[in-house]
Amino acid sequence: MDLTNCPQCGKLYVKKIRETCDVCYKEEEKQYDLVYKFVRRSENRLATLLDTHHKTGVPEKTIIKFIHQGRIRVVGFPNFTYPCDGCDSPILDGRLCEGCKTKIQNDLKIEELIKTKQEELRSSYYTGQ
Ligand SMILES: [Zn+2]
Ligand SMILES: [Zn+2]
């Protein structure tokens, strides 16, 4: 048996596929249900993350986790922003804002450029040009 401490409540539990113990898992499913039902209602289209937290009692952190997992979609909710993983600016989709996405893409491009340059150098060395 693979015993480990539940990251939510600290209790020992048998590690299976789940990240948390059964009690916390069930609790989180209940919370998911509350958030899901809340965002499904059309009158809540203008709700914010804070509103949802107040109305459902589910911690903001947990709501963001559901969004990151793709279980709750807030595209089409103009006010339902949550912090970007890179810089904390408010975003509505995925984990990163446009700025951080562009930055990562640029970083990748630079890396690729360096790689190509190194390969060019290497091949010119071997061919003696
Ligand atoms: Zn637990
Ligand atoms: Zn960002």
Side-chain angles (χ1 to χ4, degrees):
M1 273 208 305
D2 195 3
L3 279 175
T4 185
N5 285 98
C6 168
Q8 301 270 39
C9 67
K11 257 187 265 170
L12 271 181
Y13 76 108
V14 183
K15 199 175 179 181
K16 285 177 269 181
I17 326 147
R18 285 172 201 154
E19 289 167 31
T20 54
C21 71
D22 279 351
V23 180
C24 291
Y25 175 77
K26 277 186 197 129
E27 184 58 36
E28 200 168 281
E29 286 309 291
K30 244 189 265 166
Q31 293 179 327
Y32 169 72
D33 213 49
L34 286 170
V35 178
Y36 181 72
K37 280 185 184 139
F38 181 82
V39 296
R40 264 186 61 193
R41 266 186 254 138
S42 54
E43 72 257 34
N44 294 330
R45 283 275 144 176
L46 295 174
T48 63
L49 179 61
L50 206 63
D51 288 339
T52 312
H53 159 63
H54 285 316
K55 296 272 165 60
T56 59
V58 178
E60 285 173 67
K61 225 175 70 190
T62 311
I63 302 172
I64 295 171
K65 191 164 121 186
F66 293 146
I67 298 171
H68 281 172
Q69 289 171 339
R71 301 176 73 193
I72 298 284
R73 302 278 295 164
V74 289
V75 175
F77 285 73
N79 304 321
F80 208 115
T81 54
Y82 53 96
C84 157
D85 261 11
C87 68
D88 284 343
S89 351
I91 53 167
L92 277 166
D93 191 28
R95 301 187 75 127
L96 294 170
C97 70
E98 286 310 310
C100 286
K101 269 191 223 162
T102 319
K103 199 182 158 293
I104 285 176
Q105 268 162 6
N106 284 343
D107 285 352
L108 283 177
K109 266 186 216 150
I110 290 166
E111 244 169 67
E112 221 147 89
L113 204 72
I114 293 170
K115 228 194 267 169
T116 334
K117 282 276 166 223
Q118 279 171 341
E119 265 155 37
E120 267 173 26
L121 272 174
R122 212 176 298 143
S123 62
S124 65
Y125 174 78
Y126 284 124
T127 53
Q129 278 166 358

